[in-house]
Amino acid sequence: MPNLTQLPAWQSLWDHFAEAKQRHMRELFAEDPDRADRYSLEVGGLFLDYSKNRITDATLSGLMQLARESGLPDRIKAMFKGEKINSTENRAVLHVALRNRTNSPIHVDGEDVMPKVNSVLERMGKFAHAVRSGEWLGYTNQPITDIVNIGIGGSDLGPLMVCSALKPFGHPRMNMHFVSNVDGAQLKETLKKVHSETTLFVVESKTFTTQETLTNALTARDWFLQRARDEKAVAKHFVAVSTNQKAVADFGIDPSNMFEFWDWVGGRYSLWSAIGLPIMLYLGEENFTELLNGAHIMDQHFRNAPFEQNMPVLLAMIGIWYINYYGGGSHVIAPYDQYLHRLPAFIQQLDMESNGKQVQVDGTPVNFETAPIIWGETGINGQHAFFQLLHQGTHISPIDLIASLEGQGSLPGHHEILLANVFAQAEAFMRGKTADEVREELTKQGMSGEALEALVPHKVFGGNRPTNTLLMHRLDPRNLGSLIALYEHKIFVQGVIWGINSFDQWGVELGKQLAKTIHAELTGKLKNAEHDSSTRRLIQLYRQANK
Ligand code: G6Q
């Protein structure tokens, strides 16, 4: 495996950086009237303007060289071919197979996975049709009106984000609810809103061993049985999505009500699999297929486009430029679209769980930064809150501004205001405001002398702050599919550059183990396990409060 810091391109980029970091984007725009045309591209229904980055042609060619020297072309091939690139779990990484719309064979352990993928999709389609059409009836012969998804992490965030994003495409009879927190408050409040006769619970867990999900599912089942008073009714109201058939059966859900997926689908990459069942129930089979089609467009583009015109590669390598050269340890996701309000949380998991790693694939510690801290909020709300730091704080934090051009269904006059803000923010981050411009502005307002000069430094904006503007023609299933796949591949590329395994998550597994002993202590099943004094004291406090 190549050692990143020893690669020739890594070194030459450092030489280039010494000069490049002095440049202001204002100058770069002034020097090149075609900059916006040259530094933008369109894939399917997505348009990316990456011109407002601190890059030049030399930066880009250095970064692309780094991608090649890091072995990216081979790694892309390996993923699409189904090689076991998740080495610590000895698994292939094949979310791309789930949306492989050409059906070309993809082999894992000598078996083409496409027939299984298609057969689960078909079962999901039939089931979704039955529920949506009202053919599937609850135990009192009423159609389903409410879907409660029970899952956490990868078995929650993807379906939740997509169902929120595509609400205008949702079935008018169907209300979607997502329960992930083991804090009983979430399930309790959800159950207040639904009726046992018309609710379908979808229990989603890849492993079917996750404590939060199983606890919520058991409580939901008890609640249901208290009302239905018939074990047989459970089959009409509980379905499971998992890779673990035995655990599903042990839990009491009939395996004929289980939708399968496979260990080569990572949790945070699983919305395209049966984990997408709530999405299909809400949006219908056709729209779910469109979501897959959109992702497939991005997959094909990622696999085939030259790096210089490859959207995921460009976003990833520009990200590397800031993370590893500028030392910008955070990255903001700012959707200017209320329907995309869960996108920052979704990308946060996707990126931070994939690339929040400190050793390379061969186990050697990295000697450079890896995943940035991903955070964000709807852009327009962010503007009235944390954007202050982004404009005038001391951190460099690149921002992805995401919006759709068509304001379908927006109230008259609203979409223009929204988009005006996107474009204005991108411009302001790039240009900033010089002291002379501030002086001129204040003079026009009638200020002068000492009072004016005292205010100038506070009103100066350095600018030169990077943004990517990502525009969808419209927010629809196809374009959303492309957008999600874009981020998946961007994250994959960065993982390859850093030489890490983007597809395991030992930090998450740790969380799953840690609470077990303490839970036994809190419930009185175990006494005096060994702990530090702080943990012992916290356990005592709980015991006193809950005698
Ligand atoms: C995702 C992570 C994690 C996982 C949850 C739920 O990539 O591994 O977020 O999805 O911990 O796990 P289960 O689906 O097994 O319940």
Side-chain angles (χ1 to χ4, degrees), residues 515-529 531 535-544 546-547:
K516 280 190 185 147
T517 312
I518 297 184
H519 179 243
E521 289 174 81
L522 298 188
T523 50
K525 288 188 191 123
L526 181 73
K527 289 216 162 51
N528 305 327
H531 294 292
T535 310
R536 256 200 320 273
R537 175 103 185 89
L538 297 173
I539 294 172
Q540 260 168 22
L541 279 173
Y542 173 87
R543 286 215 183 106
Q544 278 159 15
N546 292 277
K547 266 196 190 122

Side-chain angles (χ1 to χ4, degrees), residues 171-203:
H171 192 294
R173 195 185 67 239
M174 228 56 92
N175 303 304
M176 303 303 291
H177 312 268
F178 289 84
V179 175
S180 54
N181 200 333
V182 76
D183 178 351
Q186 197 182 20
L187 182 59
K188 196 161 110 189
E189 293 304 325
T190 305
L191 293 178
K192 278 186 199 163
K193 294 184 211 149
V194 301
H195 301 284
S196 56
E197 293 119 290
T198 53
T199 299
L200 178 73
F201 293 90
V202 182
V203 185

Side-chain angles (χ1 to χ4, degrees), residues 94-149:
L94 275 180
H95 39 282
V96 292
L98 302 165
R99 63 242 185 164
N100 172 22
R101 308 302 298 157
T102 60
N103 264 321
S104 54
I106 300 179
H107 292 96
V108 174
D109 293 328
E111 186 200 352
D112 179 13
V113 298
M114 290 316 297
K116 323 201 253 200
V117 168
N118 292 329
S119 114
V120 172
L121 267 177
E122 203 181 307
R123 271 194 70 215
M124 287 166 66
K126 281 197 182 129
F127 178 67
H129 177 74
V131 173
R132 288 163 58 85
S133 66
E135 205 179 294
W136 181 280
L137 297 172
Y139 67 97
T140 55
N141 288 330
Q142 294 187 62
I144 300 297
T145 57
D146 290 80
I147 311 277
V148 178
N149 190 78

Side-chain angles (χ1 to χ4, degrees), residues 152-155 205-208 210 267-268 349 353 505 508 512:
I152 195 165
S155 300
S205 176
K206 180 171 169 179
T207 54
F208 232 77
T210 305
R268 53 197 173 276
Q349 175 184 24
E353 203 168 286
Q505 55 284 311
V508 179
K512 293 187 183 189

Side-chain angles (χ1 to χ4, degrees), residues 11 24 41 199 221 226 284 350:
Q11 290 302 334
H24 197 291
L41 85 159
T199 299
R221 197 169 182 274
Q226 276 160 23
L350 197 63

